[in-house]
């Protein structure tokens, strides 16, 4: 492979454009080291519990969650949350909008559960969006942002059951009316620029009541998958078992930064600006084009760009990586000649502009 050296003046200040985990701001890492006193102390004592309470309050503030909704958290990330929902929130049957690998995983978890009826699956091709249709189901689930394809879906009430939204890569980068949902769950390693391993959720009174009713029915639910126990711990500003304190500290710093920036509206505008730079740039290039055909479904937080056959994404990605621009690989299962760029909150729109200049520079020389 030929070595291509991109001139320093073209390079972004920060070359991390991953879709998850994603760029952590230097200021957040500084904050983490300043709070070294709290590391290695008990999560059952006041200092960590007030850290958890601050995270809960700031999240509630960021999304202006309705009265009666609670901020619930636990260990295991969004993947664990699918198993928890199957164990503790789906009563008999779920319905799913499937339009990529992440939205498919929840549907698969539900299909594998022996205590549930087969889920209703409404599927669309990668690059498009499918929502579940109202009907015989008690949970309606889809992803607000399908990170594997860069397609974004609306968040709105469907059917009579609980609306359970995977906002792992949308939360902190896209607006949402939480009253349209019963569970809006996410993890902190994307827009929130923290580490993975935690899940967080806004839960409606109906969702909490559902979990209590299922538990009272006598269904066997492992402790770690029992939503009622997560709610009980969260009300005490704790988690069922030991959380990663550094993750909570990074998240707390990011939330303070987001609120200072002007809240979710301002952060969402910043993300849309970054992804807009890429979509507009790709429209103007003969060798690139937005993967999602319908502009209304193009994600503001994860931009996917198809390349023509003459430009090999693997070679381009490798050349960029050797210049410090990392993690713009497409989702592996999609198997496309594509770039996928995380345009999360922490990414500077000016760095996205610089990224386009670097791509032009490398493509000219490949
Ligand atoms: C990243 C991601 C997940 C997986 O999150 P984990 O915390 O790694 O389990 C799930 N859903 C979506 C939409 C994601 O982007």
């Amino acid at each position: 492979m030929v070595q291509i050296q991109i001139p320093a003046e073209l390079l972004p200040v920060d070359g991390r454009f991953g879709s998850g985990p994603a760029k952590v701001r230097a200021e957040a890492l500084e904050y983490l080291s300043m709070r070294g006193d709290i590391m290695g102390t008990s999560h059952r004592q006041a200092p960590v519990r007030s850290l958890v309470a601050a995270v809960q309050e700031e999240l509630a503030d960021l999304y202006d969650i309705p009265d009666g909704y609670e901020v619930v958290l636990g260990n295991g990330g969004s993947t664990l949350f699918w198993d928890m929902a199957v164990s503790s929130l789906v009563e008999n049957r779920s319905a799913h909008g499937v339009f990529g690998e992440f939205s498919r995983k929840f549907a698969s978890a539900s299909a594998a559960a022996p205590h549930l009826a087969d889920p209703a699956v409404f599927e669309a091709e990668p690059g498009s969006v499918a929502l579940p249709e109202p009907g015989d189901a008690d949970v309606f689930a889809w992803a607000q942002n399908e990170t594997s394809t860069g397609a974004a879906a609306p968040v709105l009430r469907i059917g009579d059951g609980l609306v359970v939204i995977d906002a792992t890569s949308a939360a902190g980068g896209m607006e949402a009316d939480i009253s349209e949902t019963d569970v809006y769950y996410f993890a902190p390693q994307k827009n929130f620029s923290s580490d993975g391993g935690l899940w967080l959720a806004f839960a409606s009174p109906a969702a909490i009541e559902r979990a209590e009713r299922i538990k009272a029915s006598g269904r066997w639910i492992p402790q770690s998958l029992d939503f009622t126990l997560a709610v009980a711990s969260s009300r005490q500003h704790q988690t069922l078992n030991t959380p990663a304190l550094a993750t909570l500290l990074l998240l707390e710093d990011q939330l303070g930064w987001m609120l200072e920036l002007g809240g979710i509206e301002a952060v969402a505008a910043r993300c849309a600006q970054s992804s807009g730079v890429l979509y507009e740039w790709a429209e103007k290039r003969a060798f690139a084009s937005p993967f999602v055909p319908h502009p209304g479904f193009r994600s503001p937080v994860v931009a996917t760009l198809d390349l023509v056959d003459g430009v090999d994404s693997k070679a381009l990605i490798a050349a960029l990586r050797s210049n410090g621009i990392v993690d713009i690989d497409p989702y592996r299962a999609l198997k496309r000649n594509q770039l996928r760029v995380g345009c999360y909150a922490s990414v500077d729109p000016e760095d996205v502009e610089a990224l386009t200049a670097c791509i032009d520079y490398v493509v000219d020389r490949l």
Side-chain angles (χ1 to χ4, degrees):
M1 205 191 80
V2 276
Q3 180 63 31
I4 297 170
Q5 178 90 42
I6 301 173
E9 67 272 17
L10 291 185
L11 290 171
V13 174
D14 196 302
R16 286 172 291 181
F17 295 101
S19 294
K23 177 185 168 185
V24 178
R25 287 178 311 111
E27 295 83 354
L29 290 167
E30 254 163 55
Y31 177 71
L32 176 59
S33 67
M34 264 167 45
R35 295 294 309 272
D37 58 315
I38 210 176
M39 295 295 295
T41 72
S42 169
H43 58 296
R44 307 288 178 214
Q45 298 299 326
V48 174
R49 287 172 66 180
S50 56
L51 166 63
V52 171
V55 164
Q56 288 172 304
E57 252 169 59
E58 287 176 311
L59 278 170
D61 197 10
L62 188 69
Y63 274 93
D64 194 17
I65 67 173
D67 286 347
Y69 278 60
E70 299 185 36
V71 183
V72 186
L73 68 162
N75 286 310
S78 293
T79 298
L80 180 124
F81 196 83
W82 295 321
D83 295 334
M84 180 176 268
V86 162
S87 303
S88 212
L89 290 170
V90 182
E91 194 149 18
N92 183 50
R93 185 172 193 236
S94 54
H96 301 262
V98 171
F99 47 100
E101 291 312 305
F102 289 107
S103 44
R104 184 184 311 284
K105 284 181 188 186
F106 186 1
S108 303
S110 192
H115 58 286
L116 299 179
D118 282 344
V121 175
F122 299 87
E123 195 164 345
E125 289 292 297
S128 187
V129 160
L131 300 189
E133 286 168 18
D136 172 27
D138 53 74
V139 159
F140 294 85
W142 66 97
Q144 185 181 8
N145 185 68
E146 180 43 85
T147 318
S148 66
T149 65
V155 171
L156 74 190
R157 288 224 167 258
I158 288 178
D160 290 331
L162 302 177
V163 170
V164 176
I165 299 294
D166 181 351
T168 309
S169 58
M174 294 175 73
E175 295 183 71
D177 178 352
I178 302 305
S179 72
E180 295 286 308
T181 73
D182 293 291
V183 183
Y184 186 83
Y185 64 96
F186 48 94
Q189 72 274 21
K190 290 167 185 178
N191 284 294
F192 293 109
S193 288
S194 182
D195 240 344
L198 200 67
W199 61 264
L200 301 114
F202 301 136
S204 73
I208 294 169
E209 194 261 339
R210 167 76 65 86
E212 281 164 358
R213 185 149 43 85
I214 289 175
K215 182 161 187 184
S217 75
R219 180 190 290 177
W220 175 69
I221 303 174
Q223 273 207 336
S224 59
L225 301 181
D226 184 342
F227 191 63
T228 70
L229 294 182
V231 170
S233 298
S234 301
R235 285 176 179 163
Q236 303 297 317
H237 313 302
Q238 297 188 40
T239 43
L240 181 68
N241 60 320
T242 319
L245 302 186
T247 302
L248 288 164
L249 286 166
L250 292 171
L251 173 56
E252 187 203 19
D253 186 75
Q254 183 79 352
L255 284 165
W257 175 77
M258 286 176 165
L259 291 168
E260 225 167 84
L261 210 65
I264 192 63
E265 231 182 274
V267 184
R270 178 176 158 98
C271 296
Q273 187 188 342
S274 290
S275 49
V277 164
L278 287 165
Y279 295 133
E280 278 168 38
W281 167 85
E283 302 267 21
K284 285 188 213 134
R285 292 294 174 281
F287 65 82
S289 56
F291 167 56
V292 175
H294 189 318
F297 292 151
R298 281 176 201 159
S299 167
V301 286
V302 174
T304 45
L305 308 170
D306 271 349
L307 301 177
V308 297
D309 288 346
V311 176
D312 176 15
S313 65
K314 284 199 179 77
L316 173 59
I317 288 165
L320 290 167
R321 177 170 281 278
S322 70
N323 284 274
I325 295 169
V326 302
D327 297 342
I328 59 170
D329 310 64
Y331 195 76
R332 43 192 194 292
L334 209 56
K335 296 195 180 101
R336 291 185 75 92
N337 190 36
Q338 189 174 85
L339 305 176
R340 185 175 59 136
V341 182
C343 297
Y344 294 137
S346 294
V347 170
D348 191 329
E350 284 183 19
D351 277 349
V352 179
E353 299 265 10
L355 170 64
T356 60
C358 292
I359 297 173
D360 283 338
Y361 186 91
V362 172
V363 168
D364 268 353
R365 286 159 183 81
L366 272 179

